[in-house]
Amino acid sequence: MTPRRWAVSLRWIAGKLGAAIGVVWLVGTLVFFALRATGDPLEAILGGPGSQAGEEAVQAAIDRYALDEPLVVQYLLQLRDIATLQFGDSYSRRLPVMDLLAAHLPSTLLLAVLALALAWALTVAGALVQAVARGRLGALVRAGLRSVEVVASVAPQFWFGAVLIMVFASSLGWLPATSASSDPASLVLPVVTLAVPIAGFLSQVSHDALDDADAAPFATTARARGAGEMRVLLRHTLRHASLPAISLSGWAFGSLLSGAVVVEVLFARPGLGRLLQEAALARDVPVVIGAVVIVALLYVAVVIATDALELLVDPRLRRRPQSLRAPDVAVGA
């Protein structure tokens, strides 16, 4: 690697790290002041309204969480804790926040990863159908696909999940309505609930890009050489069509993590989303801040990974040392 490429790579890494720090700082700041605005944290620490805590317990809580300090000092102390990932103990559960996060995070990550994989599978399947659909019947199929994509992308997750429960759990009895057990079947409905709206959005983006690539000179040249439609799709146009969807996969993963709050509550599934919802209702500041910061870090990590994946999929980004980003033009054969 040339010195110039090293410099570009270092600037890219520094930019991503700076963005990560900025996101974590902004998230931590917003959550801190939002929770402080909802009421006195001392009340939440001592067990809520009507607590019969004695003076010694009250003073111990004030000293432990520096509640007698000015709000700015409390904020700076919180930033220090965020920087070191030391979130303290949960107000309500009296357990270290990091232990709670470590216990609940794997379940949510499994749900989000499976949902993203299913969303991509549905997106690719839709692209294959679009590619082989020709003639008048093909036009009807493509129009139907577009309609399904639009409906799927705007369907509220809580409504869609409730419909799946009524149909496949209550009426047909094929799948469990809750996801609290270790049975793999209990993952099906939550994963589908999360995946379908994301698949609808990714499919709309990739199908528009697929239409552009299908009319590009490199696709026309491949057909002139005798390549069939499926070969053109798999070797040429699909790579181009996947670029916008890949760049949006980081956003999609963040959306899946936020959607996990609704889905985990709806399906009674233990996870980070449900933990966050319960902590927010209890004004459990350390847990809320810890969960939100961890989600923000995961989101930034996935965005960086998708940027790196774009470099692998699109060779133009590797051939241009002046920038690791290239204009959105067709990818050749």
Side-chain angles (χ1 to χ4, degrees), residues 205-220:
V205 174
S206 62
H207 285 182
D208 290 340
L210 190 61
D211 288 338
D212 294 338
D214 200 50
F218 65 83
T220 303

Side-chain angles (χ1 to χ4, degrees), residues 271-332:
L272 192 62
R274 193 173 175 190
L275 176 68
L276 179 58
Q277 182 250 358
E278 294 173 354
L281 291 177
R283 298 210 313 273
D284 197 336
V285 177
V287 174
V288 173
I289 291 181
V292 172
V293 167
I294 293 299
V295 168
L297 288 174
L298 287 173
Y299 172 72
V300 172
V302 171
V303 168
I304 293 175
T306 55
D307 287 346
L309 182 59
E310 283 186 272
L311 297 179
L312 296 176
V313 174
D314 190 350
R316 295 166 304 132
L317 301 180
R318 300 193 299 272
R319 289 198 298 264
R320 299 192 178 194
Q322 69 273 19
S323 173
L324 291 179
R325 286 283 185 180
D328 188 16
V329 296
V331 179

Side-chain angles (χ1 to χ4, degrees), residues 178-241:
T178 60
S179 186
S181 67
S182 58
D183 183 5
S186 66
L187 277 169
V188 174
L189 293 183
V191 168
V192 173
T193 301
L194 280 174
V196 167
I198 297 298
F201 186 81
L202 293 179
S203 295
Q204 291 182 74
V205 174
S206 62
H207 285 182
D208 290 340
L210 190 61
D211 288 338
D212 294 338
D214 200 50
F218 65 83
T220 303
T221 302
R223 292 190 183 95
R225 293 173 179 171
E229 292 299 329
M230 189 60 65
R231 182 180 177 85
V232 172
L233 172 71
L234 296 178
R235 296 201 58 179
H236 305 285
T237 58
L238 187 59
R239 182 172 53 164
H240 169 83

